[in-house]
Structure formats: structure tokens, C-alpha cells
Amino acid sequence: MRSEIQKAKEIMQKAANNARLYHENIARVRQTCKSEYMVEEIKTYADPLRQSMIQATQEVNEALGSLATTLKAGIIIRGEDYDSATMAAISALEPGAAELTEIAKRYAGNETMLRALNQYNIKYKVGAEIPVCGQSKVDALNMIQSDISYILQEAGKVDCRYGSEQLQHIAEHFDTVFSDRIGIIGE
């Protein structure tokens, strides 16, 4: 696993522990405090909970942002790499999934053609297995980052125990939850 993704995993685990502690304290306050004091007591835990989740989101975005920069630097679209004859033949012959997969294998390492073939595959719903291109890696990373940001935001809500539980689950099973996307990004 890439070090940036490992760092995001560690940040989530730390945030999950913080959220668990804050929610335990809030639950204790709700059980032990009189109603007239409860709001103020909950605020003493609510604000640090929100700040903790905001800080975790910033740290994850920073860690994954550096990986995104690295991945984007590897995406080079060059006109001379585009094989117009192949694309014209594909458009005219409309190959099936197996045929398009075989054609795509010949262009492994050619970002320009892989993206063109992937666009064709998506547009015409061919269902071919196109080798991973740089843009697919960036898209997978963006999905991971978006999911983590959402969960941290939900965990930062005092009245949203579900967000905290979801954060606990994802932090404990990070590799499994994001295995498909981590697989796309690769080492």
C-alpha cells in the first residue's frame, strides 16, 4: 500500500478513537446530568469533536493530495500516441467486450489510447476490461478521499451516532472497504 494511503488509514484510526471517546463522554453526560446543565456539558465535548474531525479531514486531504499530484503528473496525453486508424476501425466494426479487451492490451502503457478506449467502452457500454490508465487511478483516489471526507464530517456531528459507528467500521476495515480502489491505484 502506498505510504500516503497508509497515512490516511492511520489518520482515520486516530479520528475513530477520538470520535468514540467523545461520543462515550456525551452519552455519559446525557445519562448523568440534569437537563438544565446538559446542553452546556455536551458543548464541552461537541466542539472538540467537530474540530477533531475537521483536522482529520484536512490531514487526509493533505496526505492524499500529494498522491493525487504524483498520479496526475504521470498522466500525459500526447497526440502522437493516438492511433486514429485503430479508433476508426473500432468505431466502424463495433467490437465486443473480448475483442476490445484484446485491442486494449496492445496499448498498455499508452495513456492516450487507454483513455480513448476506455471512453469508447463507457460510451457504448461494451463491458471490456481496459487496463488501468492514470486517470482511472486519479478517479479511484478521488472516490476514496470523498468517502473519507463524508464519513469524517458525519462523525463530527454530535447527534449522529451512525457517523461515528461508520467511522469505526471503516477505520477497522480500511483495507477491505477500499480494496478495489486501492487495487486500481496500485503500488
Side-chain angles (χ1 to χ4, degrees):
M1 183 182 314
R2 290 184 182 257
S3 63
E4 296 89 344
I5 294 174
Q6 181 65 34
K7 185 173 181 180
K9 176 182 174 179
E10 292 166 4
I11 293 166
M12 286 201 60
Q13 290 169 340
K14 180 181 169 188
N17 287 334
N18 288 341
R20 182 181 47 75
L21 291 173
Y22 286 123
H23 280 287
E24 286 173 1
N25 286 327
I26 290 168
R28 182 187 49 75
V29 165
R30 286 183 174 149
Q31 292 174 349
T32 59
C33 286
K34 292 182 179 181
S35 59
E36 57 267 15
Y37 302 112
M38 192 180 302
V39 173
E40 285 302 315
E41 282 294 316
I42 288 176
K43 280 184 182 179
T44 62
Y45 296 109
D47 291 336
L49 170 64
R50 275 191 285 280
Q51 290 305 316
S52 175
M53 296 305 115
I54 289 169
Q55 180 180 353
T57 302
Q58 290 170 343
E59 290 174 7
V60 166
N61 288 341
E62 191 176 295
L64 297 182
S66 66
L67 178 55
T69 302
T70 302
L71 292 175
K72 288 176 183 176
I75 299 174
I76 300 172
I77 304 296
R78 299 188 322 217
E80 62 268 12
D81 289 344
Y82 185 78
D83 187 346
S84 57
T86 299
M87 292 308 293
I90 288 171
S91 294
L93 300 174
E94 299 176 359
E99 294 169 316
L100 190 59
T101 299
E102 286 303 313
I103 293 168
K105 285 180 184 177
R106 286 188 259 153
Y107 290 101
N110 181 335
E111 181 72 24
T112 306
M113 282 303 292
L114 288 177
R115 285 187 60 189
L117 292 168
N118 194 38
Q119 288 296 339
Y120 180 89
N121 189 35
I122 292 168
K123 182 177 181 181
Y124 295 105
K125 298 178 174 105
V126 178
E129 293 183 29
I130 308 295
V132 177
C133 63
Q135 187 61 47
S136 297
K137 293 178 181 185
V138 171
D139 292 344
L141 182 63
N142 287 340
M143 285 189 277
I144 290 172
Q145 191 169 359
S146 176
D147 288 349
I148 290 173
S149 293
Y150 173 76
I151 276 305
L152 289 170
Q153 177 184 354
E154 290 300 305
K157 296 178 180 175
V158 175
D159 294 328
C160 186
R161 184 88 178 149
Y162 169 76
S164 179
E165 291 170 0
Q166 195 69 8
L167 176 59
Q168 298 292 327
H169 173 78
I170 291 174
E172 290 172 15
H173 305 286
F174 187 92
D175 298 335
T176 305
V177 170
F178 295 117
S179 65
D180 57 336
R181 296 175 192 161
I182 292 171
I184 291 171
I185 296 167
E187 297 298 320

